[in-house]
Amino acid sequence: NSLNLDTASSTTFIVEKIETNLYFATRNLRNINLLEANKLNLKTLFLSKAIVITAKSLKIIEETYNV
């Protein structure tokens, strides 16, 4: 795959908001997790082999968690 992600392991996508289309597009994909940037789950992050984050999500994380 073009992102060089190990599809046998869990991959987490951190987005600004989980839109309906994104949810439906990924719900049947094995080992794919979606998290909203202002509702992070540490367990999910620690168990993920790969984390993909958008630039807008990073800004939200910085504002929400004061980092």
Side-chain angles (χ1 to χ4, degrees):
N1 59 33
S2 63
L3 292 175
N4 294 323
L5 300 176
D6 181 4
T7 55
S9 299
S10 177
T11 299
T12 298
F13 289 85
I14 301 175
V15 295
E16 309 86 72
K17 183 173 190 261
I18 299 175
E19 301 289 342
T20 303
N21 288 342
L22 179 60
Y23 169 75
F24 285 127
T26 60
R27 70 179 175 174
N28 293 326
L29 298 176
R30 293 178 48 186
N31 301 318
I32 297 294
N33 301 304
L34 290 177
L35 292 177
E36 290 185 354
N38 63 343
K39 300 175 186 170
L40 297 180
N41 177 320
L42 290 179
K43 181 179 178 183
T44 301
L45 293 175
F46 283 127
L47 294 175
S48 296
K49 176 75 174 180
I51 298 172
V52 179
I53 183 168
T54 65
K56 289 182 182 179
S57 295
L58 185 57
K59 182 77 170 163
I60 292 170
I61 291 168
E62 290 171 346
E63 293 170 357
T64 303
Y65 300 101
N66 297 317
V67 290

